[in-house]
Amino acid sequence: DAMVIQNPRYQVTQFGKPVTLSCSQTLNHNVMYWYQQKSSQAPKLLFHYYDKDFNNEADTPDNFQSRRPNTSFCFLDIRSPGLGDAAMYLCATSRVRDWPDTQYFGPGTRLTVL
Amino acid sequence: AQSVTQPDIHITVSEGASLELRCNYSYGATPYLFWYVQSPGQGLQLLLKYFSGDTLVQGIKGFEAEFKRSQSSFNLRKPSVHWSDAAEYFCAVGELNDMRFGAGTRLTVKP
């Protein structure tokens, strides 16, 4: 089945130690998104890629970076995780960007910062 | 700017009872509206969406939602709740590549 896959499902890192979260998709969608979801809160969009075109939300901290080496993969890099970065990180994809399209979500990676 | 409000943080219903989750939006043009469900520790799954046309939309798992422009609402309903429906429900409004989520409503189902 076509899907959005996130690895790992659970990630533990130390304060200040860089960490990379991975997302892959078999849907062949053009757009990939990263959301941060803290406990009991709505998902918050960090950035998205339309093909290789990177779009950062204005309030996304510089500590968060992303890479999309090809259509299928997208990575979220947290350069120096703080305790406040502990959250669920959701990857999503959509076919198009120019009109509201359904976003398909992965299962998420829960990040713990010690 | 567009926004979404889910007035109910937590709702408890008995299994077999009917359910309505409220969602209000603020948006100048015709909104694109979604309902997603999130089970504990899982990602979001699309239940249904409204782009245009019939204002009563049917979704998966027996859910439906009705778009009411006059009330700026897109409430989610289910006639008979099952224990497996216990989850967090998010209403969202979309514009171009920007999806705004409400804060969510947690549904608890009593036996």
Side-chain angles (χ1 to χ4, degrees):
Chain A
D1 289 340
M3 56 196 328
V4 181
I5 302 161
Q6 291 188 244
N7 285 304
R9 294 292 309 278
Y10 301 90
Q11 176 73 57
V12 179
T13 191
Q14 292 180 330
F15 183 94
K17 184 175 181 180
V19 66
T20 294
L21 309 183
S22 169
C23 177
S24 64
Q25 55 128 339
T26 61
L27 297 159
N28 203 32
H29 283 173
N30 291 319
V31 194
M32 294 187 78
Y33 308 80
W34 279 106
Y35 287 86
Q36 178 192 63
Q37 185 182 24
K38 295 188 176 179
S39 182
S40 302
Q41 295 184 22
K44 178 181 179 300
L45 182 64
L46 295 174
F47 26 60
H48 77 275
Y49 272 96
Y50 178 66
D51 286 338
K52 290 188 179 293
D53 180 25
F54 177 72
N55 296 268
N56 200 33
E57 292 297 296
D59 56 354
T60 298
D62 293 339
N63 196 28
F64 291 85
Q65 303 288 324
S66 185
R67 296 170 284 133
R68 189 178 186 187
N70 54 53
T71 300
S72 300
F73 284 87
C74 194
F75 299 99
L76 170 62
D77 300 308
I78 308 176
R79 293 192 295 188
S80 182
L83 298 179
D85 297 327
M88 174 79 89
Y89 290 88
L90 298 168
C91 175
T93 74
S94 66
R95 188 174 54 87
V96 297
R97 183 184 67 170
D98 292 333
W99 57 277
D101 196 10
T102 301
Q103 293 188 13
Y104 295 85
F105 285 80
T109 294
R110 181 165 297 284
L111 177 67
T112 300
V113 181
L114 301 178
Chain B
Q2 57 184 340
S3 66
V4 182
T5 303
Q6 293 180 246
D8 304 305
I9 297 173
H10 187 201
I11 283 184
T12 299
V13 299
S14 298
E15 190 169 16
S18 64
L19 171 70
E20 182 168 30
L21 302 182
R22 296 184 290 166
C23 173
N24 295 100
Y25 65 89
S26 172
Y27 187 56
T30 300
Y32 300 91
L33 296 160
F34 305 80
W35 273 101
Y36 283 86
V37 61
Q38 185 178 33
S39 297
Q42 302 296 315
L44 278 70
Q45 181 184 21
L46 179 70
L47 283 176
L48 46 79
K49 61 187 178 184
Y50 171 77
F51 283 179
S52 64
D54 192 348
T55 56
L56 183 64
V57 293
Q58 302 297 321
I60 63 171
K61 304 184 179 186
F63 285 92
E64 67 177 26
E66 186 171 13
F67 170 59
K68 293 185 177 180
R69 184 187 299 277
S70 62
Q71 299 177 19
S72 298
S73 68
F74 188 58
N75 295 347
L76 181 71
R77 300 193 296 248
K78 186 170 184 178
S80 178
V81 168
H82 188 262
W83 64 267
S84 61
D85 293 325
E88 188 92 17
Y89 290 80
F90 291 95
C91 181
V93 58
E95 176 195 21
L96 297 177
N97 53 282
D98 188 12
M99 181 88 78
R100 300 279 174 170
F101 287 88
T105 297
R106 179 170 299 279
L107 174 66
T108 298
V109 181
K110 293 190 303 184

